Amino acid sequence: MKRQTLAALIAAAFALAACNDDNKQAATQPAGESSTPAVQTASAAPEAPAQSAEADVPVDQLPVIDAVTTHAPEVPPPVNRDHAALVKVKMETVEKTMKMADGVDYTYWTFNGDVPGQMIRVREGDTVEVEFSNNPSSTVPHNVDFHASNGTGGGSAATFTAPGRTSTFRWKALQSGLYIYHCAVAPVGMHVGNGMYGLVLVEPKEGLPKVDKEFYIVQGDFYTKGKYGEPGHQAFDMDKAIREDADYVVFNGHVGAIAGDNALKSKVGDKVRMYVGNGGPNLVSSFHVIGEIFDKVYVEAGKLVNENVQSTLIPAGGAAIIEFKTDIPGSFTIVDHSIFRAFNKGALGQLVVEGEDHPEIMTKKLSDNAYQPAGGAATGAASGASAPAASAPAASAPAAASGASAPAAEGH
């Protein structure tokens, strides 16, 4: 009996062990089964890079397009392409004397004859071929560093070009955004300080939302032997540049380049986009449009978007994309809100908006009465005589760049 009981126990133990083995195999089987789809998924992965197929097209098979470039404040037209291309850009460095301000001349070092250099507009995924010429009249070699490119020096070595020579190289626009380009020949600060900078817009593959008006603006700081407004030809002052003691801070290379007869133009209801760069070489811009709030700011021209912004910082060698809607007519003063730069060094522009008034958004002055203390009679000394100065239109603000004090009403 004992033997039978013992045999039964042993048999039960073997049966239990066999059951446990089966359970273990069953437990491990799903993992084995799930690994098969994982392998299949991995093997199917090569189908995913359909988006990058465009990047695999050899350069010699891309359609060739001559870039449409524009002098500031004009902007090249939207790309409107759904494929990559080989975009050919011609650049020429020219050293030329031009007007800095009324009665003041300066010898600028330029890309394509003005400051800033021409704006370039391409599409993410494009290959850009640059034909870079240095005019025979130049006194020094020049080159270009494209912040929009990925590679050592931004192409500065490939484009290092002596006077009377032409160099060619290519770079691929891998990332969308708005980027500075500038000369990078030593002393770099002197080349940049003489005006050698511009902007490249790399549109995302899906393009940018449509707007009514686009403008191209680049701020720069200049260092001259003479003080602001001192007449005659002014030479570059290296000591002032090293001290970052700018005599001129201007938009688009010249005092009044986007003011007065050169003011930017728009209409009520327009959606406006400004491509704003800062060539430097030293100062950070506090960019502001008096009387407007920026609906969107693409911070440092990247993908981060801030909304409802009054002023935005733009670093030297950086950029921002700014969008807003024009709600009422008038002259809107564009400034670097480091405010002495605006009213005493030249960083003033204008956006003139035409169209129907909207008093529900802002009225004109509703009353102008003599000052009356609480509980007292109006004082004889107080009058409306000084009121016109307080309500002077923003259109007069650029005149203050000569050093005159700005109307109090303009601070915003």
Side-chain angles (χ1 to χ4, degrees):
M1 183 69 182
K2 289 182 180 180
R3 288 180 181 178
Q4 290 176 348
T5 303
L6 182 60
L9 290 173
I10 292 172
F14 275 113
L16 182 61
C19 182
N20 286 341
D21 285 343
D22 290 341
N23 288 338
K24 285 180 183 179
Q25 289 176 3
T28 57
Q29 185 62 32
E33 290 175 355
S34 64
S35 66
T36 302
V39 171
Q40 290 174 347
T41 302
S43 64
E47 296 177 7
Q51 295 180 349
S52 64
E54 183 179 288
D56 299 328
V57 177
V59 173
D60 60 1
Q61 295 180 23
L62 292 173
V64 178
I65 295 174
D66 290 328
V68 177
T69 58
T70 56
H71 286 292
E74 302 300 322
V75 174
V79 171
N80 288 333
R81 275 189 285 111
D82 61 359
H83 58 272
L86 174 62
V87 182
K88 293 192 171 185
V89 177
K90 290 187 177 181
M91 303 180 71
E92 181 179 4
T93 58
V94 182
E95 301 171 12
K96 60 187 293 190
T97 299
M98 295 184 286
K99 175 182 172 181
M100 169 74 79
D102 288 340
V104 182
D105 290 331
Y106 187 83
T107 300
Y108 295 87
W109 293 357
T110 76
F111 292 111
N112 295 96
D114 208 350
V115 177
Q118 290 180 310
M119 185 172 175
I120 302 166
R121 190 169 191 161
V122 298
R123 178 182 179 272
E124 180 185 355
D126 283 348
T127 295
V128 183
E129 181 174 292
V130 180
E131 182 182 298
F132 187 83
S133 300
N134 191 353
N135 191 278
S137 65
S138 295
T139 59
V140 294
H142 295 295
N143 66 5
V144 60
D145 168 3
F146 286 100
H147 286 195
S149 68
N150 288 272
T152 306
S156 56
T159 55
F160 183 88
T161 307
R165 305 291 296 177
T166 296
S167 304
T168 305
F169 93 117
R170 292 174 178 171
W171 58 274
K172 187 163 188 174
L174 297 176
Q175 292 159 288
S176 63
L178 181 66
Y179 301 93
I180 283 281
Y181 65 82
H182 65 86
C183 188
V185 172
V188 178
M190 182 177 182
H191 286 249
V192 175
N194 279 328
M196 300 196 77
Y197 43 75
L199 287 179
V200 177
L201 174 63
V202 181
E203 286 191 15
K205 291 181 179 180
E206 66 274 16
L208 292 171
K210 188 180 185 323
V211 294
D212 299 297
K213 288 284 187 178
E214 294 185 316
F215 299 109
Y216 170 31
I217 303 170
V218 183
Q219 181 172 316
D221 33 293
F222 290 84
Y223 305 82
T224 57
K225 293 292 185 183
K227 295 180 179 179
Y228 179 91
E230 188 170 319
H233 182 273
Q234 297 298 324
F236 174 79
D237 190 315
M238 179 65 85
D239 290 336
K240 286 183 179 178
I242 292 171
R243 295 197 306 270
E244 303 185 8
D245 181 16
D247 297 281
Y248 295 85
V249 183
V250 297
F251 298 125
N252 291 352
H254 315 270
V255 175
I258 54 171
D261 292 340
N262 302 316
L264 309 180
K265 302 290 179 63
S266 183
K267 294 180 180 179
V268 170
D270 279 352
K271 186 169 185 179
V272 173
R273 180 182 291 137
M274 292 182 171
Y275 300 102
V276 186
N278 183 4
N282 291 321
L283 304 180
V284 174
S285 174
S286 301
F287 190 81
H288 176 74
V289 179
I290 296 174
E292 282 292 349
I293 297 170
F294 304 147
D295 298 328
K296 290 184 179 181
V297 174
Y298 294 80
V299 180
E300 297 180 5
K303 291 189 176 180
L304 177 65
V305 176
N306 275 352
E307 297 182 344
N308 304 333
V309 176
Q310 59 190 316
S311 301
T312 191
L313 293 175
I314 306 175
I321 301 174
I322 295 163
E323 295 179 355
F324 58 89
K325 181 185 175 185
T326 52
D327 296 304
I328 61 173
S331 178
F332 296 82
T333 305
I334 302 166
V335 299
D336 178 341
H337 216 296
S338 297
I339 211 68
F340 279 100
R341 299 177 187 171
F343 296 111
N344 298 86
K345 296 190 175 186
L348 279 172
Q350 288 173 286
L351 173 64
V352 176
V353 180
E354 298 178 344
E356 184 180 351
D357 206 357
H358 288 275
E360 73 277 12
I361 295 176
M362 179 180 282
T363 70
K364 292 180 169 48
K365 185 185 290 190
L366 298 178
S367 64
D368 187 351
N369 303 315
Y371 170 73
Q372 185 171 344
T379 61
S383 70
S386 61
S391 60
S396 64
S402 61
S405 59
E410 295 310 315
H412 179 79

